[in-house]
Amino acid sequence: MSQRLCIIGTGVIGNGWIARALAQGWDVVAFDPDPQAPARTRAFVDNAWPSLERLGLAEGSSPERLHFAESLEVAVQGADLIQENVPERLELKREILATLDAAAEAHVIIGSSTSGFKPSDLQRDCAKAPGRVIVAHPFNPVYLLPLVELVGGAATDSAHTATAQALYQALAMRPLVVRREIEGHIADRLMEALWREALHLVNDGVATTEEIDAAVVYGCGLRWSLMGTFLTFHLAGGEQGMRHMLEQFGPALKLPWTKLQAPELTDELIDRVVEGCEYQAAGRPVSELDRRRDDFLVELLALTQKYWPEAEGLEGRI
C-alpha cells in the first residue's frame, strides 16, 4: 500500500518535498491558496525529474501521483505524513499548525520545515495532539539532499520521534535527531556563522562574492562533503589526531580573526553582494543553475556513498 504525503505551502521547499516524495513512489496531496501554485509545482517537478531519474526512481513513482486539494482540511485526509512549508513567520506558522492539528488524525506526524523556530513555540496553539508537531528541517534542494533535522518540542516524546524517523527514512532521508531544541537547530547555525563572516569580507573590501565562493568550493568545501568539520581537523593533527591539533592551533581561537555579529546591511553592501552574484550567474537563469547544481549533486552523492558506506547506519548512531 502506497504512502501519502500532505504538503502545505508550495514554495521552493514545499515543491522540493513533493518531488522527493513522488520519486519515492508516494502519493502527494498539496494545498496552496495561490491559484498559480499547481502550474508552478508541475514545472518544478518537471525540472527536477531528470536528476531524480539518474539517482534511481522507486517502483511506481510518477509525477502523476500529485494532486492539489481545494482546502487544507481536505488535503490532510488520509495522509501518513504532513509537511508544513508556509513563510517563516511565527504567528502564521502557529495558526496553520493549529489548524492542521485540529483537522488531521491525532497519530499523524506534522513536520514543519522551519529553519529557525523552536518546536515548543510551534506547538503552543495545538490542542489535539501537540507532541506530533515537530521540526523537520530539510535542505535545498530537498529532492536531492538527504539531511533532515528532526527536533521535538516540550510535548514530544520518544514515540513521536521514532515514528518521524521511520517516515523520513521511507522518503530516503537521513534524519538527524537534534538532542535539544535551539533556534536555528544545528546546520543553519553553522551556515549562518560562515555567511556572516563572508558578508564582512565583502563589506571590508577583502574579497568579492566570486572569490569567497572559490575559497569554499576549492578548499574547505571539498573536504566537508566527505568528513565535515571535526574529522577534517582530526586529520590536521597528524598521527596524534584532534588532541595534537587543539594543542597546536587551539590558542589561535582566541585571536580576533572572525566577527560574531553580522555587518549592517547597507545599500552599498547589498549592491556589492547582488552585483557579485549576478556576475557569477553570467546571465544564466536560475532554472539552468538549478540543473547544473543538481547534476553535480547526483554525482557527488554517489561519490560520497562510495567513500563513506558506513553512513548507511548514521541514523542509528545519532
Side-chain angles (χ1 to χ4, degrees):
M1 183 177 178
S2 64
Q3 292 181 287
R4 175 177 293 187
L5 175 66
C6 169
I7 292 292
I8 306 299
T10 58
V12 171
I13 298 301
N15 283 337
W17 280 114
I18 289 171
R20 173 174 282 273
L22 292 172
Q24 293 302 317
W26 286 44
D27 292 315
V28 179
V29 178
F31 171 73
D32 192 306
D34 184 352
Q36 303 302 316
R40 189 175 60 239
T41 295
R42 295 187 191 282
F44 184 101
V45 172
D46 287 345
N47 196 55
W49 206 252
S51 295
L52 290 165
E53 287 178 319
R54 289 178 62 197
L55 276 180
L57 300 173
E59 183 178 354
S61 61
S62 169
E64 299 306 312
R65 297 180 73 167
L66 166 65
H67 303 282
F68 272 77
E70 63 271 20
S71 70
L72 178 152
E73 290 78 7
V74 171
V76 302
Q77 301 306 310
D80 296 291
L81 175 64
I82 301 168
Q83 191 73 25
E84 170 271 310
N85 314 277
V86 302
E88 197 78 350
R89 300 197 300 272
L90 182 57
E91 291 307 316
L92 174 62
K93 284 188 177 290
R94 278 182 182 165
E95 177 185 349
I96 295 298
L97 288 167
T99 303
L100 289 170
D101 178 56
E105 294 183 42
H107 70 279
V108 180
I109 295 293
I110 302 173
S112 173
S113 294
T114 180
S115 60
F117 296 132
K118 295 194 292 187
S120 291
D121 293 333
L122 299 175
Q123 295 172 347
R124 191 165 299 170
D125 297 332
C126 298
K128 182 193 287 185
R132 48 77 176 267
V133 177
I134 64 169
V135 167
H137 174 231
F139 296 83
N140 185 42
V142 182
Y143 52 90
L144 293 183
L145 296 184
L147 182 65
V148 57
E149 294 178 311
L150 301 183
V151 195
T156 304
D157 60 29
S158 59
H160 292 122
T161 302
T163 298
Q165 281 184 283
L167 285 164
Y168 289 103
Q169 285 171 342
L171 285 168
M173 301 293 282
R174 294 192 183 279
L176 169 59
V177 178
V178 179
R179 294 175 183 270
R180 63 184 182 89
E181 56 182 327
I182 184 174
E183 292 90 347
H185 325 314
I186 296 174
D188 270 6
R189 293 178 74 94
L190 298 172
M191 290 189 291
E192 282 292 328
L194 181 61
W195 174 231
R196 285 193 295 270
E197 192 63 23
L199 288 174
H200 275 293
L201 292 171
V202 173
N203 193 52
D204 295 344
V206 174
T208 66
T209 61
E210 184 178 29
E211 290 162 351
I212 292 168
D213 283 355
V216 174
V217 170
Y218 299 110
C220 53
L222 287 172
R223 300 181 304 192
W224 287 343
S225 64
L226 177 65
M227 293 186 175
T229 305
F230 282 100
L231 197 54
T232 292
F233 280 132
H234 178 66
L235 270 61
E239 290 301 321
Q240 299 177 58
M242 178 61 81
R243 185 171 298 280
H244 179 65
M245 197 285 289
L246 289 174
E247 290 171 351
Q248 186 172 1
F249 298 106
L253 295 174
K254 295 292 186 180
L255 299 176
W257 286 357
T258 57
K259 302 177 181 180
L260 295 178
Q261 296 295 324
E264 185 70 27
L265 284 178
T266 62
D267 290 341
E268 181 182 4
L269 176 56
I270 291 171
D271 287 343
R272 283 190 191 180
V273 172
V274 171
E275 289 167 9
C277 291
E278 289 176 347
Y279 175 79
Q280 289 177 257
R284 292 169 292 187
V286 169
S287 59
E288 180 181 335
L289 296 173
D290 279 344
R291 287 192 297 272
R292 179 171 178 265
R293 174 204 62 196
D294 291 356
D295 288 343
F296 172 80
L297 286 175
V298 168
E299 295 184 33
L300 183 60
L301 285 166
L303 187 63
T304 303
Q305 183 58 51
K306 175 182 176 181
Y307 284 92
W308 198 283
E310 57 265 47
E312 286 293 344
L314 183 66
E315 298 85 352
R317 299 206 305 271
I318 294 172

